Amino acid sequence: VESASMSIILAGAIVGFLVYNKYPAKVFMGDSGANFVGFILSIIALDGAFKQATVLSIIIPILALAVPIFDNLFVVFKRFKAGQPVYQADRRQIHFRLQRKGLNPNQIVGFITIISIVCSILSILLLFYNHQ
């Protein structure tokens, strides 16, 4: 199956899931679902990267997944800097920080969604720019 077809199938499945995952959620993805989605996204990204070896082919998937990638990098860096084990749980993820700033769950989800959409649109624009 081609990358574009897999992307459309995955997007449809995620949108169908998100209908039931809005706060208060009725269905939870869990670790297995998140690992599966991440695995499929990485396969799609690798498929695109091997078709053309450019810097943009590396930047586009990173930009599309900017929120989880940079949030995790930030948390790991902060734990490392504080001398804590990087695998130890804490409350440094973006949603906890936004909650401490006074945002409610709907505002937090909306804020993170807007950032993700903006980064995803930028990655799509870079993809189209790269193909011209």
Side-chain angles (χ1 to χ4, degrees):
V1 180
E2 191 177 319
S3 294
S5 300
M6 276 305 286
S7 298
I8 291 169
I9 292 168
L10 184 63
I14 291 172
V15 167
F17 166 77
L18 288 176
V19 170
Y20 297 99
N21 193 247
K22 289 182 357 186
Y23 181 79
K26 297 175 184 132
V27 177
F28 297 95
M29 181 178 290
D31 290 343
S32 297
N35 285 332
F36 174 75
V37 170
F39 174 74
I40 297 298
L41 283 172
S42 66
I43 296 299
I44 292 168
L46 284 174
D47 185 42
F50 285 128
K51 286 182 181 173
Q52 57 190 43
T54 66
V55 173
L56 282 179
S57 64
I58 303 297
I59 293 172
I60 289 170
I62 291 172
L63 191 57
L65 297 168
V67 172
I69 289 172
F70 291 111
D71 185 38
N72 283 318
L73 287 174
F74 172 81
V75 170
V76 167
F77 176 74
K78 285 293 199 177
R79 289 176 186 162
F80 185 75
K81 188 177 171 186
Q84 299 172 329
V86 295
Y87 53 83
Q88 186 177 19
D90 60 17
R91 293 171 122 12
R92 290 188 174 131
Q93 285 80 16
I94 189 170
H95 58 280
F96 289 123
R97 291 184 309 218
L98 291 172
Q99 190 177 35
R100 281 193 300 273
K101 298 274 185 199
L103 276 67
N104 66 41
N106 286 330
Q107 292 171 324
I108 293 169
V109 169
F111 182 77
I112 294 172
T113 301
I114 288 170
I115 293 173
S116 295
I117 288 170
V118 168
C119 290
S120 296
I121 289 171
L122 286 173
S123 72
I124 291 169
L125 292 174
L126 278 175
L127 181 65
F128 286 136
Y129 174 76
N130 195 27
H131 285 305
Q132 289 182 357

